[in-house]
């Protein structure tokens, strides 16, 4: 079956980002399986996290609805805090692996700083 993995380690930490500022990260999505992943879509993000530009796969992201076996594409996630504090979320890529609907995710963390 298709098997999607997301780069950038077990958790991506945006670190300290100034209030009303923005930091982005490009995450590589890899299909290490033997069939295409289909029906790909992004979910799971709540403010202050979002796909860059507001929609999956994010501005300059290259992922679409299908990813061929042994291929890669990218998504771009933004962190834009509006208040001080620590924030946690996960970016989720839902897809069909050829047999069932499943998902791949990457936890995110960041701090709104003055």
């Amino acid at each position: 079956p298709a098997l999607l993995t997301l780069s950038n380690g077990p958790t991506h930490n945006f670190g300290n980002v100034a209030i009303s500022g923005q930091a982005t990260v490009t995450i590589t999505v890899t299909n290490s399986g033997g069939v295409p992943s289909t029906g790909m879509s992004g979910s799971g993000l709540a403010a202050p996290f979002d796909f860059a530009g507001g929609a999956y796969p994010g501005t300059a992201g290259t992922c679409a609805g299908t990813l061929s076996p042994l291929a890669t594409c990218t998504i771009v996630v933004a962190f834009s805090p509006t208040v001080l504090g620590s924030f946690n979320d996960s970016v989720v890529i839902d897809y069909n692996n050829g047999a069932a609907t499943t998902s791949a995710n990457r936890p995110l963390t960041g701090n709104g700083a003055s």
Side-chain angles (χ1 to χ4, degrees), residues 15-111:
N16 293 324
V17 176
I19 301 302
S20 299
Q22 184 180 74
T24 61
V25 62
T26 299
I27 297 173
T28 300
V29 180
T30 303
N31 180 359
S32 59
V35 300
S37 64
T38 60
M40 290 173 57
S41 63
S43 65
L45 294 174
F49 299 97
D50 201 355
F51 288 101
Y56 170 85
T59 305
T62 61
C63 290
T66 300
L67 187 60
S68 298
L70 307 179
T72 63
C73 64
T74 58
I75 57 173
V76 182
V77 176
F79 174 59
S80 308
T82 58
V83 296
L84 295 173
S86 179
F87 299 91
N88 298 290
D89 205 346
S90 290
V91 60
V92 178
I93 305 299
D94 299 308
Y95 67 100
N96 187 295
N97 68 5
T101 300
T102 189
S103 62
N105 68 71
R106 175 67 58 236
L108 307 168
T109 187
N111 296 307

